[in-house]
Amino acid sequence: MNTPFRFLGNGPADEQLPVQPNRQPEANTPFSPEGEPAEEPTSESGRLASDDEAERTPLGDTQEEASDFEPSPVRPEATVASMQQHINTNNGIAIGVQFQNIINGMRTIELREDWVTQQLAVYVPPKNEKEAAAKLRDDHVVVLLGKSGAGRQPAGLHLLQGLKEKLTLKRFHREPKDPFSLTDLTGQQNVGWILDLRAEGDTVSGGLGFSLQDTTALKAATSYLVVLASPEVWEPISDGGGDVAVTLEAPEAEDVLLAHLRAAKCRESEKWAAHSRIAQAITDKLPGEVKRWSDAIVAEQSRPMASTATTTTSEQITKEFNEQVERVIEAMADWRNQLRTWHIEHPDSDHRNFLLAAASMDRTPVDQIYRASESLATALGEEPKPRPGQQGPGIIELTYMIGAELTSDGTVVLPSEGYAEAVVEYFLMDRAHLVDRFTEWTATQAANLKGDLGTQLADRVAVWVIRHTQKSRSVRVLKSVAGRWSSIPILKGHARDLLSVAAVDSEIGRLVRDGTLAWARDGDVPKNLLVTLADVCQQVSQVYPKEALLRLGELAASDKPDVAAAVGKAFNAMWDRPEQRQRVRKVLRTWARSSTGSLRRSSSHAFLYLASRVEGNGTPSLLSAGDDYENDLPWIMQSWRTTLEHDPAPETAISAFKVWMEGAAAAPDTRDTVFGILAQAVHDAPEDNSAIRFLGLNRLATHWEPSEPRKPLTDRARFRDSLIDWVRASDPTNPGIDSSVPKP
């Protein structure tokens, strides 16, 4: 409970500290698999492929790009400001900034010394650290196992640092199901590698354990590897790995708590740690869980307390301290018991709506909260009832009834840090049938509040939604909020960043990415949300390019112009990243040959967007020699073949065809290439659909230059007809056709 985003990140956030190195590393991992799979992904006939099907087999030789990898230059002056806050206080941290921090944490990156030092500032070693250290020292490899919060990342950093080898520490992340081999790590000397498999759904294809058998090459490079994983991830990939895994034994919880409290300069750290209620609560807790207790204690201690007497007795001091302890315990339980009691005692809607409005709009002037509580009642569909005494309870009364205080500057202060989030979470869990109305209300408030108040509210809502999704394991509320925000211009960016953060979250990333795939395939999803999904794919492609491509391929089937524009923007953004371009084209080549229809369609849709790109001289980019044209050629012809069978042709096909015809008309060499590809696309196929494709070609050619029989032929019309003649002359079933156009 240390930050509003405490569960977000490349691994469980309770194993992390809030500062990340802020440089712009390349988005690829050093060992991105780029070759072709050993076998095609398959699915039941007519059923769309899932990510598991699309990524079941590794995409190629893992060494293909390893030798070209270079770490990004280190810029010591560039650091991300700390995101740490008191327990659950959420004053509107920009969720877009948080997303970038998470992405930086998932990329392959050289870890800076000051960042490592900070990670280890409060490190308390696991009880069996010596065992893990011996394995790493002797074998150059160790697998650290544990549940979320076990402290695997700091333990790995400490082990590598303890080798005294002057190692360069590098962390790398892999897309789920990517292959891995130790030979991938041997291109560089004196490196301490960390392979992070902690996030939900993370794994590698094949037997990781078997690949760890022979560490000769790693030893020759004086390099070491630490793998961070859960027992559930390790078990199915451990065959052949021998005795390289160590399940971390948590240190004493009291030692961990004291380390965190002292580092935070908490007053009376020993008194807090020794209190029987605290000691009992943290018994057998993992380091990450104990860290949350530390944050709760620090937040409670920093809460302003009103002085009730000029002199304080020891009894009063003890009483106040015990009250603080109880508030910490309540906070760690999300105030659930207290809120349940309060709701039982306050069935009146005026009280409940004011509490929910005050929690939602924390730190907002009370007059705005009062008006918002009235609009909330309307949004929730409550029938107005006769209200006694000057139209019902007033601000002072309502503030008192919810157990809050009204400051001199007109701000409502709730009972404790974290209380606002707990109130909203209670409502989301307790009033599931009203969630959609509530999220619509919050979106309206965020859009209408002036200045930074609206942005802060949206950022707070984003935190609540992420946390609710983690607890409920359902994306319903997430979809509701993102869908509503997507329809409001000033909240579109928040919708994109909310879904992006959720899609890479260590606890719910897999769940959310599966959800977005289903939404992309659902014809009833509103247009605005589909546009947002395309933007999300563009962002998430930085760490999950294959999954982003699959979703973009599904979105590309939409006939909505705004969706098509967003998809094209996303494809182009991926293509414009040099480190991703090669990966994109090889994934699309593979999908074009797949036996799974949805993958072939995704490849075809992606092709049309990329086929619309042009070089400075007007030549289609896919025909550029520098873009690996020779290897792309089978995919290009297959994609045109699929395109020509569409009736009617999609707008993306018409746009791509126009680009190619303009390029062919501008340069004779390009003309021969374009005409030859289109001719083969029509005629060279195992199935006998050439007549359909020839008709499709004619339709596209007419889109480029319409036929006007009663007017003289223009140069463009003659060029169009020359294409038709070329393709007709290339028909292998009619070798005797008389044509002045040479066959390719």
Side-chain angles (χ1 to χ4, degrees):
M1 301 176 73
N2 55 318
T3 75
F5 298 94
R6 60 185 171 275
F7 295 118
L8 312 181
N10 65 308
D14 50 14
E15 297 189 18
Q16 304 170 4
L17 289 177
V19 175
Q20 297 284 356
N22 183 25
R23 52 199 127 125
Q24 297 300 320
E26 297 186 13
N28 62 316
T29 63
F31 325 109
S32 298
E34 304 291 6
E36 310 300 342
E39 58 184 79
E40 292 287 352
T42 58
S43 69
E44 299 173 16
S45 176
R47 184 167 59 84
L48 295 172
S50 65
D51 279 317
D52 283 342
E53 292 169 318
E55 298 160 11
R56 182 178 300 132
T57 52
L59 288 181
D61 181 0
T62 59
Q63 300 183 64
E64 185 164 346
E65 293 188 321
S67 60
D68 296 331
F69 171 73
E70 291 294 339
S72 300
V74 176
R75 295 187 291 136
E77 73 283 1
T79 58
V80 174
S82 173
M83 303 291 289
Q84 190 171 23
Q85 296 188 71
H86 296 316
I87 172 175
N88 290 338
T89 302
N90 178 15
N91 296 325
I93 289 179
I95 195 169
V97 173
Q98 180 64 19
F99 172 76
Q100 194 56 53
N101 286 346
I102 295 171
I103 290 296
N104 286 344
M106 298 179 74
R107 289 165 165 163
T108 291
I109 194 170
E110 179 179 324
L111 302 177
R112 284 176 23 187
E113 290 184 9
D114 61 338
W115 181 83
V116 174
T117 299
Q118 185 184 32
Q119 286 281 321
L120 299 177
V122 291
Y123 176 69
V124 180
K127 295 177 180 178
N128 57 342
E129 185 187 50
K130 290 183 178 180
E131 177 188 355
K135 290 183 184 296
L136 181 62
R137 183 179 58 252
D138 296 341
D139 301 330
H140 286 235
V141 171
V142 68
V143 178
L144 300 183
L145 302 180
K147 298 179 180 179
S148 175
R152 290 160 293 181
Q153 177 168 271
L157 292 171
H158 193 254
L159 290 174
L160 290 170
Q161 197 177 62
L163 291 169
K164 310 298 183 183
E165 295 276 2
K166 293 185 178 181
L167 299 173
T168 300
L169 302 189
K170 296 184 181 182
R171 176 191 58 217
F172 64 100
H173 173 267
R174 311 192 66 74
E175 197 163 3
K177 304 297 178 67
D178 279 353
F180 170 76
S181 171
L182 276 184
T183 56
D184 300 337
L185 307 181
T186 57
Q188 301 175 58
Q189 298 285 318
N190 304 312
V191 178
W193 297 102
I194 295 180
L195 171 57
D196 194 345
L197 300 177
R198 292 176 298 161
E200 180 192 50
D202 277 5
T203 186
V204 293
S205 66
L208 177 61
F210 182 79
S211 72
L212 302 182
Q213 272 189 339
D214 186 0
T215 60
T216 303
L218 202 59
K219 292 176 179 177
T222 322
S223 294
Y224 298 81
L225 171 65
V226 175
V227 180
L228 313 179
S230 67
E232 294 75 19
V233 168
W234 173 244
E235 196 278 329
I237 60 175
S238 62
D239 288 348
D243 190 25
V244 297
V246 175
T247 300
L248 296 181
E249 297 178 12
E252 294 297 333
E254 183 179 348
D255 294 339
V256 177
L257 181 62
L258 279 172
H260 282 290
L261 292 178
R262 289 166 179 165
K265 295 180 170 50
C266 174
R267 300 186 305 275
E268 301 180 299
S269 300
E270 288 76 10
K271 183 178 179 181
W272 278 100
H275 194 283
S276 59
R277 295 275 279 146
I278 299 293
Q280 180 182 7
I282 67 173
T283 299
D284 296 328
K285 290 288 191 293
L286 295 175
E289 297 171 310
V290 177
K291 170 68 162 58
R292 294 176 57 206
W293 280 88
S294 167
D295 292 333
I297 291 170
V298 172
E300 172 60 31
Q301 194 177 72
S302 65
R303 191 174 71 93
M305 297 182 64
S307 177
T308 57
T310 55
T311 59
T312 305
T313 65
S314 59
E315 289 80 7
Q316 288 174 321
I317 293 174
T318 300
K319 178 183 177 183
E320 289 179 358
F321 182 72
N322 288 335
E323 289 174 350
Q324 286 185 301
V325 169
E326 291 304 317
R327 279 195 293 270
V328 167
I329 292 172
E330 279 289 333
M332 290 299 295
D334 295 328
W335 300 93
R336 188 61 52 83
N337 293 333
Q338 181 168 316
L339 285 171
R340 180 188 61 201
T341 301
W342 186 91
H343 279 81
I344 292 173
E345 295 174 351
H346 295 79
D348 190 284
S349 288
D350 285 333
H351 300 162
R352 291 187 175 192
N353 289 333
F354 190 78
L355 174 63
L356 185 56
S360 302
M361 303 172 68
D362 195 17
R363 315 303 169 102
T364 301
V366 68
D367 58 324
Q368 296 189 44
I369 293 175
Y370 187 80
R371 289 194 295 271
S373 68
E374 293 181 329
S375 68
L376 176 59
T378 301
L380 297 180
E382 297 187 335
E383 295 291 337
K385 297 179 180 180
R387 308 183 73 188
Q390 298 175 353
Q391 300 182 28
I395 289 174
I396 296 175
E397 179 183 346
L398 287 171
T399 303
Y400 172 80
M401 294 304 292
I402 67 171
E405 295 181 4
L406 188 60
T407 65
S408 58
D409 63 353
T411 301
V412 175
V413 178
L414 292 171
S416 183
E417 300 285 357
Y419 197 79
E421 182 176 355
V423 168
V424 176
E425 177 67 19
Y426 186 95
F427 175 84
L428 295 176
M429 298 294 289
D430 195 49
R431 294 287 188 270
H433 62 293
L434 296 176
V435 165
D436 289 340
R437 294 183 180 186
F438 174 69
T439 56
E440 184 171 350
W441 174 82
T442 58
T444 301
Q445 296 301 312
N448 293 337
L449 287 173
K450 296 180 180 179
D452 294 334
L453 293 177
T455 299
Q456 291 176 1
L457 175 56
D459 286 325
R460 286 198 297 272
V461 172
V463 175
W464 302 331
V465 171
I466 294 289
R467 189 176 181 201
H468 178 77
T469 305
Q470 291 166 338
K471 288 188 172 183
S472 66
R473 302 297 299 176
S474 167
V475 296
R476 191 178 74 84
V477 174
L478 178 69
K479 183 181 180 183
S480 175
V481 173
R484 179 59 180 153
W485 285 2
S486 295
S487 65
I488 300 176
I490 65 172
L491 296 179
K492 287 181 178 179
H494 282 78
R496 175 201 62 209
D497 293 333
L498 168 63
L499 288 178
S500 297
V501 167
V504 298
D505 178 66
S506 61
E507 291 192 19
I508 56 173
R510 178 77 271 158
L511 175 73
V512 173
R513 295 196 299 276
D514 287 346
T516 58
L517 182 59
W519 305 344
R521 292 168 170 170
D522 185 350
D524 295 329
V525 171
K527 175 196 70 176
N528 291 324
L529 181 54
L530 295 180
V531 170
T532 295
L533 283 183
D535 294 340
V536 170
C537 289
Q538 180 179 334
Q539 292 207 132
V540 173
S541 69
Q542 298 176 65
V543 289
Y544 294 113
K546 281 188 296 185
E547 297 193 21
L549 280 171
L550 183 61
R551 285 148 187 78
L552 286 172
E554 298 294 344
L555 290 170
S558 172
D559 58 359
K560 300 176 177 67
D562 290 350
V563 178
V567 170
K569 178 184 174 184
F571 275 128
N572 285 324
M574 294 183 71
W575 197 261
D576 285 336
R577 298 185 190 119
E579 72 280 357
Q580 280 195 346
R581 182 176 300 183
Q582 188 70 359
R583 181 177 182 84
V584 168
R585 62 168 19 110
K586 290 186 176 181
V587 169
L588 295 178
R589 290 174 196 163
T590 301
W591 289 356
R593 301 192 310 271
S594 173
S595 59
T596 303
S598 62
L599 298 184
R600 294 196 304 273
R601 286 192 295 274
S602 292
S603 177
S604 177
H605 289 312
F607 163 79
L608 291 174
Y609 284 98
L610 299 176
S612 298
R613 294 176 59 97
V614 295
E615 298 297 304
N617 61 2
T619 303
S621 294
L622 287 180
L623 301 183
S624 172
D627 274 349
D628 201 14
Y629 163 69
E630 292 298 331
N631 287 323
D632 281 341
L633 187 57
W635 166 57
I636 291 172
M637 287 191 294
Q638 171 64 43
S639 298
W640 274 122
R641 188 176 298 127
T642 302
T643 299
L644 295 176
E645 294 177 2
H646 285 299
D647 183 21
E651 287 296 324
T652 49
I654 294 171
S655 298
F657 189 85
K658 287 180 178 179
V659 166
W660 282 48
M661 286 298 285
E662 295 293 344
D669 290 345
T670 303
R671 183 204 67 162
D672 292 353
T673 301
V674 169
F675 284 14
I677 288 173
L678 293 174
Q680 291 185 68
V682 169
H683 298 303
D684 296 352
E687 64 278 5
D688 187 18
N689 287 335
S690 59
I692 294 175
R693 292 191 291 270
F694 186 70
L695 288 175
L697 179 75
N698 274 275
R699 286 191 291 267
L700 289 175
T702 302
H703 275 293
W704 179 69
E705 180 63 23
S707 296
E708 300 181 84
R710 297 182 181 180
K711 293 185 178 181
L713 284 176
T714 63
D715 288 342
R716 287 174 63 87
R718 290 189 181 92
F719 193 76
R720 175 202 63 212
D721 292 344
S722 70
L723 167 66
I724 303 304
D725 287 343
W726 184 302
V727 175
R728 186 181 290 113
S730 301
D731 186 351
T733 64
N734 296 286
I737 287 181
D738 183 18
S739 174
S740 59
V741 180
K743 294 182 181 180

